[in-house]
Amino acid sequence: MRVWQVVGVGLVLSSIVHPGSMASAADRPQWGTRHTRNMVSDETGLPESFDPKSGRNIRWTAALGTECYSTPVVANGRVLIGTNNNEPRDPRHQGDRGVMMCFHESDGSLAWQLVVPKLEGDIFLDWPNAGMCSPATVEGDRVYTVTNRNEAVCLDLAGMANGNDGPFRDEGRHAVPNGEPPIEPSATDADILWLFDLRAGAGVRPHDAAHSSMLIDGPFLYLNTSNGLTSKHDGVERPEAPSLIVLTKDRGEFVAQDGERIGPRIFHSTWSSPALAEIDGRRLILFCGGDGVVYSFRALSEVPASRVFLERVWRFDCDPEAPKENVHRYIRNRRVSPSNIKSMPVFHQGRVYVTVGGDIWWGKHQSWLKCIDATKTGDITREGLVWSYDLGRHCCSTPAVHEGLVYVADCDGKVHCVDAETGQAHWVHDAGGEIWASTLVADGKVYIGTRRGDFWVLAAGKQKRVLSSVRLDSAIHASPVAANGTLYVATMTRLYAIQEGKSFTPSSGENKAQHAASPSR
């Protein structure tokens, strides 16, 4: 698999507040709805169409690199998104790098950027040009993300503009490859407060790309590790490494991990980010392993004195008839193989909704949307299944559950509207191109982009109705995000801030990219 293949799993902006204050209710500081990961927004007044060529209903656009697999997040007047360095914003940073850009929400100008060199030696650790794939998570004036080097970092939302804060002071060396002299950080560089290296600290070997959206619960950060296959795809190099770990958010201390020994059963990698559920007063961490199993763990209530294993509450095998032993014998087997999960689990009204299936590049041509009863305990593989719905050949999209309906896209380019109670389809829409992104439901609309570069707006509800479609400048892998009256859509090369009634006039430097985008259908 390639890093650029990871983040279809695939994946948040108008009133301005100062960094350091708490995020406003209309911000989207995390990928998906806070805790539950549901791809639904309460925003209203969002446009049902826009025109990149004329600038109609476009507030601003911002150039990214040449590849983007990261969904934007919006908090405290900032918009953060991962990309690569193939269009350098700073001449001191040259060559292939992972980059997280932080833009001003008001006008799309660059506030600062985190620039991280590639991992050396093996391209399957950090695939060329894939950039930084992990979405950020923001709380107050702190940004939490995972770099392309599989480092969990805590950043200052203000960047270096207010000085170099925190115990980490070696940003100048961290920003350059091994053997090169450090640079002097500038006001447009990121300020790293602390850093935890998952390879050194948790024994992980990332595969293709590190991709994780951290979940915050009290003083803790829960994150998947991206542990995966060897470069030959013949097994897991670090089978003993954890798939889910817990860090303290103040200092990045490694305090807990799963004890499920998932490693030997990982069919490709561990790319699904955790969610949180609250059931009968219990706080549960929901996690999808690279073995196609959904796990539920009791959330930590206090910082342990020493590292602990998370207590499992239940497990649900999404593909119980699939091979369970020596799973890597089935690499390249398109008829029989284990399943894996690239999407996030969504918790809604006592149930978990998740997509699962054969791996896009190595596994069988089957995928499903599963609905699980999250109130049970133990091995709930049989008794916990509420319903199962067949999707296309593969799926890496996270569902959106809203008003009794589940909206989900698959890699065949189909958008499905499914009854949340029965699992029966109300409608299916052919978007005409492969989909890795997730649907967003907001303001009575369903927003979704395709790898062909088409962005679709459909009416939410039991009757299918197409509101608009527009061809953008390049492929879309990021999920659309709504915050503060604005819809954010990222292509491989550009971030669009879309707002009803706005009109954007491209500058001469942006004409080339804008003219590549034209309305269709």
Side-chain angles (χ1 to χ4, degrees), residues 216-453:
I216 297 177
D217 183 38
F220 302 111
L221 300 169
Y222 293 83
L223 60 152
N224 59 292
T225 64
S226 299
N227 195 39
L229 299 185
T230 67
S231 300
K232 294 181 179 180
H233 298 84
D234 58 358
V236 176
E237 184 173 302
R238 300 291 180 86
E240 75 287 350
S243 291
L244 175 69
I245 67 171
V246 188
L247 306 177
T248 58
K249 70 181 182 185
D250 58 345
R251 300 177 62 182
E253 295 176 335
F254 182 14
V255 296
Q257 67 179 70
D258 76 274
E260 301 304 306
R261 303 177 186 234
I262 297 170
R265 303 188 301 276
I266 295 171
F267 192 54
H268 204 163
S269 192
T270 310
W271 290 309
S272 177
S273 300
L276 188 143
E278 187 161 355
I279 302 174
D280 298 329
R282 297 182 304 169
R283 296 175 68 80
L284 304 179
I285 303 300
L286 305 174
F287 173 67
C288 301
D291 57 353
V293 176
V294 183
Y295 298 89
S296 166
F297 300 100
R298 192 176 304 278
L300 295 177
S301 58
E302 58 184 11
V303 178
S306 59
R307 192 181 309 163
V308 299
F309 289 112
L310 294 169
E311 178 189 349
R312 191 183 79 199
V313 176
W314 55 257
R315 72 187 298 275
F316 178 89
D317 189 339
C318 292
D319 192 1
E321 305 306 318
K324 304 300 176 185
E325 302 292 335
N326 301 315
V327 297
H328 305 106
R329 294 180 302 166
Y330 299 92
I331 291 289
R332 298 181 179 87
N333 190 327
R334 292 304 199 178
R335 297 183 61 189
V336 178
S337 79
S339 286
N340 61 16
I341 303 173
K342 299 181 178 68
S343 62
M344 296 185 291
V346 171
F347 177 73
H348 185 73
Q349 296 181 353
R351 294 178 174 180
V352 175
Y353 299 84
V354 66
T355 61
V356 59
D359 187 76
I360 298 174
W361 305 277
W362 303 105
K364 62 191 175 190
H365 292 315
Q366 285 179 285
S367 67
W368 306 270
L369 170 65
K370 302 275 184 173
C371 177
I372 305 165
D373 182 350
T375 66
K376 299 182 180 299
T377 59
D379 188 334
I380 65 169
T381 298
R382 298 196 181 279
E383 64 178 3
L385 179 64
V386 180
W387 51 256
S388 178
Y389 174 82
D390 288 351
L391 296 171
R393 286 158 57 99
H394 301 285
C395 183
C396 50
S397 297
T398 298
V401 188
H402 183 62
E403 294 185 346
L405 302 174
V406 186
Y407 304 89
V408 69
D410 63 34
C411 292
D412 275 348
K414 305 296 195 301
V415 182
H416 305 256
C417 173
V418 180
D419 191 282
E421 186 63 32
T422 67
Q424 299 298 309
H426 288 288
W427 51 260
V428 179
H429 174 68
D430 188 347
E434 189 177 10
I435 298 175
W436 287 1
S438 300
T439 51
L440 169 70
V441 177
D443 193 29
K445 307 172 186 70
V446 181
Y447 296 100
I448 187 65
T450 75
R451 295 189 69 214
R452 198 175 84 159

Side-chain angles (χ1 to χ4, degrees), residues 166-203:
F168 190 94
R169 298 295 178 123
D170 211 10
E171 286 89 350
R173 184 168 298 281
H174 182 265
V176 298
N178 289 334
E180 293 190 10
I183 62 173
E184 184 67 27
S186 71
T188 56
D189 284 317
D191 181 6
I192 301 174
L193 303 180
W194 58 253
L195 179 151
F196 178 82
D197 188 337
L198 275 77
R199 294 184 302 141

